[in-house]
Amino acid sequence: MKKILEGQIVSDKMINTVVVKVETVKVHPKYRKRYRSFKKFKADTAGKAFQIGERVIIEESRPLSKDKRWKVLRRTEEKEEIK
């Protein structure tokens, strides 16, 4: 089963590649406080046009380059403002 994540595009400066920031909520083991954690993934766009701020769903794939191991499946929402 391939992993599927949802995130926001933070960079589209590469050809056929976007950088997607994925947010997860974790719980501290001792203090039980919730905190947000972010990780960036490079994803292949297969020639489709995506813009900064769009929310997308990405799927795990075979290694496409040194850093690129994800593919963009589809958009989920309209464009959001990046802080």
Side-chain angles (χ1 to χ4, degrees):
M1 186 97 191
K2 295 181 180 180
K3 294 179 186 176
I4 295 177
L5 300 173
E6 182 178 351
Q8 185 175 9
I9 295 177
V10 293
S11 175
D12 62 351
K13 295 182 180 181
M14 295 170 275
I15 300 170
N16 292 333
T17 305
V18 292
V19 179
V20 180
K21 183 173 78 170
V22 176
E23 174 186 334
T24 56
V25 177
K26 296 182 179 181
V27 179
H28 191 278
K30 182 176 179 181
Y31 300 113
R32 303 284 187 240
K33 182 177 169 108
R34 293 183 184 155
Y35 61 97
R36 294 187 295 173
S37 176
F38 301 97
K39 189 164 183 182
K40 293 180 183 178
F41 298 97
K42 289 183 183 169
D44 185 56
T45 60
K48 298 176 188 170
F50 292 96
Q51 295 178 348
I52 294 176
E54 290 181 334
R55 297 210 40 99
V56 293
I57 294 180
I58 58 175
E59 178 185 44
E60 191 176 33
S61 69
R62 65 179 179 82
L64 301 170
S65 69
K66 180 181 175 186
D67 296 328
K68 193 164 44 166
R69 276 125 175 85
W70 296 83
K71 289 183 181 178
V72 176
L73 289 181
R74 64 183 183 276
R75 292 177 180 86
T76 57
E77 297 177 5
E78 289 297 318
K79 200 170 170 181
E80 293 184 9
E81 186 69 29
I82 294 182
K83 298 178 183 178

